[in-house]
Amino acid sequence: MATYQLAQEALAAEFAARWAEALAAVEARQLAGSLTELETAYTAAIRESAAASYTLSVAFYRLVRALETGRVIGGPGYRPGASLGSLWADFNKATGKRTGSGPREVLPVDIRNPFPAADPAREARRAEESFRHQVADRVAAHERERPAREGSAALDDAELVAWEKEFLESLKTGGSGAGGMLVQDAGRDAVHLALQDDPGAIGYFRATDASPCYFCALMAGRGAVYKSKRTAAFGAHPHCHCQAVPIFSRRYRLATENDRFARMWREFGGGSLADWRTYYARNQ
């Protein structure tokens, strides 16, 4: 599980590095005239890392399912004659690490494809909307403010330089968070939607990173979440590295962090979300 989560984080970081590189190639005063090139770089980086996130999640889901049920499921990436050994090989290839291996005996097959089909048009819209909110709209507001700034300072004034630098940094941070969410959503959606459509799955639990926000800690503290219409949404946010881990047996084991957050919630004793946020910050 840790390898899977770290590999998903690495894909988000890969996108963030490409976005930072694209921004670094543009002067602050050239941003308004470079939006087309920046959007192309932003959306292409999301698309490529999101595709890798989807492939990784399918390999993870198929491996976990086979380990828990002794059966392999069809769908993208399925190869006839699959075994635990070949499923481990697929997962290792997707993570770039050798984390496990298994026997070569062919597994029984559930000929079913629960994985959501790629929707390039929807993915493109989400990337375009993210760019508009995180970059284009903010650049427009920045440009409207520029005349007042430049009218009260020389172009090399330290305060003006700091203002430009701070804005570029905010574009990098905001774009990385929103774009990285879309990258990981490709994988999160693959797992979360597959388990809703897979009769062999009973639910999932939320695995967090080492230091999640108060909301993610609360969600992880719920433990196992069983399939229902009410639980059909995962609820990630920018800079969130939580993942849905599918469950195929009542004999599942939660991650240690889930137990820790569940214990914190019990000790908290109830109250508003704002109260929990304060309590969590004080006790994390």
Side-chain angles (χ1 to χ4, degrees):
M1 174 58 219
T3 301
Y4 170 67
Q5 193 156 10
L6 288 172
Q8 289 287 10
E9 289 183 32
L11 290 172
E14 178 184 280
F15 159 76
R18 290 181 62 180
W19 173 233
E21 183 180 356
L23 276 177
V26 180
E27 294 289 338
R29 292 174 58 83
Q30 299 173 341
L31 281 171
S34 303
L35 288 177
T36 299
E37 293 83 355
L38 286 173
E39 182 174 7
T40 298
Y42 185 83
T43 56
I46 288 175
R47 184 173 61 252
E48 292 170 22
S49 292
S53 173
Y54 178 87
T55 299
L56 169 60
S57 288
V58 170
F60 173 71
Y61 186 100
R62 184 172 282 125
L63 175 62
V64 171
R65 190 184 195 278
L67 288 169
E68 293 193 15
T69 69
R71 302 182 67 85
V72 66
I73 198 164
Y78 168 73
R79 292 175 294 171
S83 64
L84 281 177
S86 69
L87 298 185
W88 270 114
D90 290 343
F91 180 69
N92 292 340
K93 180 180 179 181
T95 62
K97 298 182 181 299
R98 181 171 176 77
T99 59
S101 60
R104 294 293 174 179
E105 287 82 8
V106 175
L107 294 170
V109 183
D110 290 329
I111 302 297
R112 184 180 178 85
N113 178 13
F115 301 104
D119 187 346
R122 174 179 176 272
E123 293 165 5
R125 283 195 305 272
R126 292 188 69 192
E128 289 165 5
E129 288 169 5
S130 177
F131 183 83
R132 184 174 68 254
H133 292 311
Q134 295 296 331
V135 184
D137 289 351
R138 298 182 62 215
V139 168
H142 186 75
E143 290 302 304
R144 287 194 295 271
E145 187 179 351
R146 181 186 298 281
R149 292 275 182 170
E150 292 183 347
S152 61
L155 290 181
D156 61 350
D157 183 89
E159 185 176 341
L160 182 60
V161 171
W163 176 67
E164 297 281 29
K165 184 177 180 180
E166 181 181 2
F167 179 64
L168 281 171
E169 190 63 28
S170 73
L171 288 184
K172 183 171 70 173
T173 301
S176 295
M181 181 180 73
L182 295 182
V183 166
Q184 293 184 89
D185 276 353
R188 281 187 285 242
D189 289 350
V191 170
H192 197 258
L193 295 176
L195 67 87
Q196 298 292 333
D197 194 41
D198 181 357
I202 64 174
Y204 72 96
F205 68 86
R206 189 185 191 100
T208 70
D209 59 17
S211 183
C213 72
Y214 72 100
F215 173 79
C216 292
L218 177 58
M219 294 297 100
R222 295 186 301 171
V225 179
Y226 300 105
K227 291 200 297 187
S228 72
K229 291 182 179 179
R230 190 172 59 84
T231 62
F234 185 73
H237 58 80
H239 301 291
C240 175
H241 298 303
C242 294
Q243 305 295 335
V245 179
I247 298 169
F248 302 95
S249 166
R250 297 283 176 175
R251 298 186 301 275
Y252 63 83
R253 293 182 61 184
L254 292 174
T256 303
E257 292 301 310
N258 295 78
D259 290 333
R260 180 165 73 91
F261 296 136
R263 185 171 61 254
M264 287 181 67
W265 176 255
R266 291 194 298 270
E267 292 169 352
F268 168 59
S272 69
L273 191 59
D275 292 336
W276 162 250
R277 183 175 188 174
T278 301
Y279 177 87
Y280 178 71
R282 191 165 55 240
N283 291 276
Q284 168 67 341

